[in-house]
PDB file of all heavy atoms in Angstrom:
ATOM      1  N   ASN A 525     -15.766 -31.921   2.743  1.00 92.00           N
ATOM      2  CA  ASN A 525     -17.185 -32.119   3.042  1.00 92.00           C
ATOM      3  C   ASN A 525     -17.347 -32.663   4.461  1.00 92.00           C
ATOM      4  O   ASN A 525     -18.197 -32.198   5.226  1.00 92.00           O
ATOM      5  CB  ASN A 525     -17.813 -33.118   2.066  1.00 92.00           C
ATOM      6  CG  ASN A 525     -18.291 -32.432   0.799  1.00 92.00           C
ATOM      7  OD1 ASN A 525     -18.324 -31.205   0.733  1.00 92.00           O
ATOM      8  ND2 ASN A 525     -18.658 -33.209  -0.201  1.00 92.00           N
ATOM      9  N   ASP A 557     -16.964 -39.679   8.582  1.00 96.00           N
ATOM     10  CA  ASP A 557     -17.130 -38.581   9.553  1.00 96.00           C
ATOM     11  C   ASP A 557     -18.241 -38.907  10.518  1.00 96.00           C
ATOM     12  O   ASP A 557     -19.034 -39.833  10.307  1.00 96.00           O
ATOM     13  CB  ASP A 557     -17.377 -37.260   8.805  1.00 96.00           C
ATOM     14  CG  ASP A 557     -18.667 -37.265   8.031  1.00 96.00           C
ATOM     15  OD1 ASP A 557     -19.737 -37.349   8.668  1.00 96.00           O
ATOM     16  OD2 ASP A 557     -18.613 -37.183   6.775  1.00 96.00           O
ATOM     17  N   GLN A 576     -27.900 -30.829  -3.584  1.00 67.00           N
ATOM     18  CA  GLN A 576     -27.508 -30.889  -2.177  1.00 67.00           C
ATOM     19  C   GLN A 576     -28.627 -31.622  -1.435  1.00 67.00           C
ATOM     20  O   GLN A 576     -29.704 -31.851  -1.996  1.00 67.00           O
ATOM     21  CB  GLN A 576     -27.318 -29.476  -1.627  1.00 67.00           C
ATOM     22  CG  GLN A 576     -26.140 -28.782  -2.303  1.00 67.00           C
ATOM     23  CD  GLN A 576     -25.815 -27.447  -1.702  1.00 67.00           C
ATOM     24  OE1 GLN A 576     -26.728 -26.664  -1.465  1.00 67.00           O
ATOM     25  NE2 GLN A 576     -24.549 -27.186  -1.490  1.00 67.00           N
ATOM     26  N   GLU A 577     -28.330 -31.978  -0.197  1.00 67.00           N
ATOM     27  CA  GLU A 577     -29.351 -32.784   0.490  1.00 67.00           C
ATOM     28  C   GLU A 577     -30.658 -32.029   0.607  1.00 67.00           C
ATOM     29  O   GLU A 577     -31.739 -32.522   0.353  1.00 67.00           O
ATOM     30  CB  GLU A 577     -28.832 -33.246   1.851  1.00 67.00           C
ATOM     31  CG  GLU A 577     -29.588 -34.466   2.311  1.00 67.00           C
ATOM     32  CD  GLU A 577     -29.542 -34.665   3.808  1.00 67.00           C
ATOM     33  OE1 GLU A 577     -28.715 -34.024   4.482  1.00 67.00           O
ATOM     34  OE2 GLU A 577     -30.362 -35.449   4.306  1.00 67.00           O
ATOM     35  N   THR A 588     -21.785 -25.661  -3.561  1.00 68.00           N
ATOM     36  CA  THR A 588     -22.349 -25.556  -4.907  1.00 68.00           C
ATOM     37  C   THR A 588     -23.100 -26.816  -5.323  1.00 68.00           C
ATOM     38  O   THR A 588     -23.855 -26.809  -6.288  1.00 68.00           O
ATOM     39  CB  THR A 588     -21.213 -25.353  -5.931  1.00 68.00           C
ATOM     40  OG1 THR A 588     -20.343 -26.480  -5.821  1.00 68.00           O
ATOM     41  CG2 THR A 588     -20.463 -24.088  -5.682  1.00 68.00           C
ATOM     42  N   LEU A 592     -19.255 -33.387  -5.282  1.00 90.00           N
ATOM     43  CA  LEU A 592     -19.395 -34.841  -5.369  1.00 90.00           C
ATOM     44  C   LEU A 592     -19.509 -35.318  -6.812  1.00 90.00           C
ATOM     45  O   LEU A 592     -19.042 -36.406  -7.140  1.00 90.00           O
ATOM     46  CB  LEU A 592     -20.606 -35.321  -4.548  1.00 90.00           C
ATOM     47  CG  LEU A 592     -20.389 -35.366  -3.032  1.00 90.00           C
ATOM     48  CD1 LEU A 592     -21.620 -35.905  -2.322  1.00 90.00           C
ATOM     49  CD2 LEU A 592     -19.180 -36.206  -2.653  1.00 90.00           C
TER      50      LEU A 592
HETATM   51  P1  ADP B1001     -21.339 -29.109  -1.774  1.00 76.72           P
HETATM   52  O1  ADP B1001     -20.584 -29.703  -0.659  1.00 76.72           O
HETATM   53  O2  ADP B1001     -20.636 -28.026  -2.447  1.00 76.72           O
HETATM   54  O3  ADP B1001     -22.723 -28.763  -1.436  1.00 76.72           O
HETATM   55  P2  ADP B1001     -21.098 -31.697  -2.901  1.00 76.72           P
HETATM   56  O4  ADP B1001     -21.367 -32.194  -4.243  1.00 76.72           O
HETATM   57  O5  ADP B1001     -19.724 -31.887  -2.383  1.00 76.72           O
HETATM   58  O6  ADP B1001     -21.481 -30.197  -2.875  1.00 76.72           O
HETATM   59  O7  ADP B1001     -22.107 -32.367  -1.937  1.00 76.72           O
HETATM   60  C1  ADP B1001     -23.418 -32.477  -2.313  1.00 76.72           C
HETATM   61  C2  ADP B1001     -24.284 -32.637  -1.084  1.00 76.72           C
HETATM   62  O8  ADP B1001     -24.068 -33.910  -0.498  1.00 76.72           O
HETATM   63  C3  ADP B1001     -23.967 -31.667   0.020  1.00 76.72           C
HETATM   64  O9  ADP B1001     -24.602 -30.425  -0.188  1.00 76.72           O
HETATM   65  C4  ADP B1001     -24.497 -32.378   1.202  1.00 76.72           C
HETATM   66  O10 ADP B1001     -25.910 -32.208   1.315  1.00 76.72           O
HETATM   67  C5  ADP B1001     -24.232 -33.818   0.892  1.00 76.72           C
HETATM   68  N1  ADP B1001     -22.994 -34.262   1.528  1.00 76.72           N
HETATM   69  C6  ADP B1001     -21.821 -34.426   0.949  1.00 76.72           C
HETATM   70  N2  ADP B1001     -20.896 -34.900   1.814  1.00 76.72           N
HETATM   71  C7  ADP B1001     -21.519 -35.028   2.988  1.00 76.72           C
HETATM   72  C8  ADP B1001     -21.118 -35.450   4.275  1.00 76.72           C
HETATM   73  N3  ADP B1001     -19.865 -35.858   4.539  1.00 76.72           N
HETATM   74  N4  ADP B1001     -22.037 -35.464   5.271  1.00 76.72           N
HETATM   75  C9  ADP B1001     -23.279 -35.077   5.035  1.00 76.72           C
HETATM   76  N5  ADP B1001     -23.738 -34.663   3.847  1.00 76.72           N
HETATM   77  C10 ADP B1001     -22.863 -34.628   2.808  1.00 76.72           C
END
Side-chain angles (χ1 to χ4, degrees):
N525 274 349
D557 64 65
Q576 295 186 314
E577 202 202 346
T588 59
L592 283 182

